[in-house]
Amino acid sequence: MAKDPKHHVATRLSHAGRAGTHVHGFVNPAVHRGSTVLFPDTAARREGAKHRFEQFMTYGTQGGPTHYAFEDVIAEIEGGTRALIVGTGLAAVAVPLLAYLKTGDHCLMPDNVYGPARNLAGGLLKGWGVETSFYDPCIDEAGLRALLRPNTKVVYTESPGSHTFEVQDIPAIARAAHAVGAKVLMDNTWGIHHFQPFKHGVDVSIQALTKYVGGHSDVLLGSVTVNNEADWLVVRGTGSQLGQFASPDDVWLALRGVRTMLVRLQRQEQSGLEVARWLEARPEVKQVLHPGLPSHPQHALFKRDFTGGCSLFGVVFQPRYSPDDVCRFIDSLALFGIGASWGGFESLCIPTTGNITRTAGSGDFGGPMCRIHIGLEAPEDLIADLTQGLGHLGA
Ligand SMILES: *Cc1c(COP(=O)(O)O)cnc(C)c1O
């Protein structure tokens, strides 16, 4: 289908990634597995090599029809021109950082950044002579400008942060970064289609497709989306040098998942807000960290830049409770799984107090914390479970 920006995102998601993929009339593309790609003659092979980053099959690592269909869907969601699909969300974080940073460069990362991204900054990047400084995620334009150095090549962003949910002023950060020629990278996993990164000044958008796009807790994938040919060649070239590849079976699963993503997301967002509002009114709870709640410190920014959200949020308990009390609460829940990740059909809850590393700020929210992911269960059942769970808090 030709891209028609007049169509609602729901319509575009039903039709994207289908052109040219029909096999024997079936609606969906097949799983194309392959390493070797055969050419009719050596001249055709020579010609093909010139188009290897253009959805042109030359070798398995350059992708095939299943990948191309899915790439188009992700570019559509993000509002970009091209998307690179990689094996995990973390690989999608790593590829653009490695693409735009080299020895002697400086990188800025928000203090609430996804933990493994911080590990990469302090590990491989540091070892290769890239210095990273961490900044307050709620920084304004002047504040960021003061942190930029002549060698700052990347300003990394993640909004909202996936444990503490600060919303960043991305347009302000992008203005400051672009004034010194730095690239703005954004982890847009929480916003999904509700935040359009390229309309707000982002150069490279990262998604952990493992979350709502996959949606069924059975697939790991990531994407790196860009909005022009120059960035595509840098990102795709780096992915290629690193041998990044996503299994066509996983891509097929995610392509299946993404067709129903909007209805899942809508339901989960609504249920999440219902549970968040309920928790906020409980005496045991000090604060609920959900950008969609009017009480959130950056709610105005969220309303300005996002068209909605998802079902992942944080809870800060009253300081009279200890982290152990919160663990007892979590252990007593019957409908919430205890485990990492989010965006699947099932609800989850994990303690976050000990998991938050901060170097630019204190990260102290004034009480022990947990993170809740709301799945597709009925919210009244989840609230009943949370009610009995809260009974175990002070026991
Ligand atoms: C989960 C997650 C990732 C990494 O995704 P994986 O597929 O698990 O590697 C990256 N960023 C954020 C914000 C995440 O929550």
Side-chain angles (χ1 to χ4, degrees):
M1 189 188 82
K3 276 194 187 182
D4 185 346
K6 288 191 303 296
H7 285 143
H8 188 277
V9 62
T11 308
R12 289 188 277 126
L13 269 192
S14 283
H15 289 266
R18 285 169 51 188
T21 57
H22 300 275
V23 180
H24 307 302
F26 288 115
V27 173
N28 289 303
V31 180
H32 288 273
R33 303 186 55 89
S35 51
T36 300
V37 174
L38 299 176
F39 291 87
D41 52 40
T42 54
R45 180 165 181 263
R46 226 171 14 249
E47 184 59 26
K50 293 183 197 159
H51 303 285
R52 65 198 184 107
F53 294 165
E54 299 170 25
Q55 298 193 335
F56 191 100
M57 278 159 282
T58 55
Y59 182 59
T61 52
Q62 305 302 325
T66 321
H67 296 98
Y68 302 157
F70 190 55
E71 286 172 6
D72 289 349
V73 175
I74 297 305
E76 186 78 38
I77 293 173
E78 294 258 45
T81 50
R82 297 290 299 273
L84 171 70
I85 308 300
V86 292
T88 63
L90 182 54
V93 170
V95 166
L97 284 170
L98 296 174
Y100 290 103
L101 291 165
K102 60 177 187 340
T103 301
D105 288 347
H106 175 238
C107 172
L108 280 165
M109 275 191 178
D111 208 21
N112 60 354
V113 73
Y114 177 63
R118 186 184 276 269
N119 293 343
L120 177 61
L124 283 178
L125 291 179
K126 186 176 177 203
W128 288 333
V130 174
E131 190 187 346
T132 302
S133 329
F134 292 88
Y135 65 91
D136 175 358
C138 300
I139 203 161
D140 64 10
E141 190 171 344
L144 191 85
R145 216 181 294 123
L147 297 179
L148 289 163
R149 304 177 190 172
N151 61 339
T152 306
K153 291 290 155 45
V154 165
V155 177
Y156 193 89
T157 62
E158 182 180 324
S159 177
S162 68
H163 278 105
T164 44
F165 304 95
E166 299 88 344
V167 178
Q168 298 197 263
D169 191 344
I170 299 291
I173 289 171
R175 276 193 302 276
H178 289 158
V180 300
K183 289 283 177 187
V184 178
L185 276 47
M186 178 178 183
D187 185 328
N188 192 29
T189 303
W190 195 94
I192 320 171
H193 76 96
H194 284 307
F195 184 87
Q196 288 290 290
F198 303 109
K199 288 187 181 154
H200 293 93
V202 171
D203 298 299
V204 179
S205 184
I206 294 154
Q207 293 247 9
L209 307 173
T210 306
K211 309 295 161 57
Y212 293 92
V213 171
H216 294 74
S217 308
D218 55 5
V219 63
L220 289 150
L221 281 177
S223 61
V224 188
T225 306
V226 296
N227 202 30
N228 61 58
E229 186 65 13
D231 283 321
W232 172 249
L233 292 177
V234 172
V235 163
R236 185 68 188 85
T238 303
S240 188
Q241 287 178 55
L242 291 169
Q244 284 291 335
F245 179 72
S247 154
D249 298 273
D250 289 345
V251 168
W252 188 88
L253 275 174
L255 193 51
R256 194 176 203 272
V258 79
R259 301 294 184 197
T260 57
M261 182 181 75
L262 289 190
V263 282
R264 286 186 282 105
L265 190 57
Q266 210 166 36
R267 168 69 192 257
Q268 286 175 260
E269 181 190 2
Q270 280 165 10
S271 300
L273 279 167
E274 189 176 333
V275 174
R277 281 192 213 101
W278 179 84
L279 278 166
E280 191 171 44
R282 290 287 306 201
E284 298 89 345
V285 172
K286 179 169 187 284
Q287 193 185 359
V288 175
L289 307 172
H290 189 314
L293 294 178
S295 60
H296 189 276
Q298 292 93 42
H299 183 63
L301 212 49
F302 173 74
K303 295 278 276 190
R304 186 192 74 185
D305 292 347
F306 289 70
T307 55
C310 67
S311 65
L312 185 78
F313 57 89
V315 180
V316 185
F317 291 90
Q318 299 288 2
R320 65 176 176 274
Y321 299 112
S322 68
D324 283 348
D325 289 334
V326 173
C327 287
R328 204 167 38 249
F329 155 73
I330 295 171
D331 288 339
S332 74
L333 297 173
L335 297 178
F336 291 77
I338 302 168
S341 203
W342 43 287
F345 56 87
E346 82 292 12
S347 292
L348 301 168
C349 185
I350 50 169
T352 45
T353 306
N355 293 342
I356 295 171
T357 305
R358 294 293 162 101
T359 50
S362 79
D364 182 4
F365 284 75
M369 294 160 67
C370 72
R371 185 179 78 173
I372 291 183
H373 169 257
I374 298 297
L376 287 166
E377 303 93 336
E380 58 267 35
D381 290 336
L382 296 175
I383 286 173
D385 193 28
L386 290 166
T387 305
Q388 68 79 25
L390 288 175
H392 294 259
L393 245 188

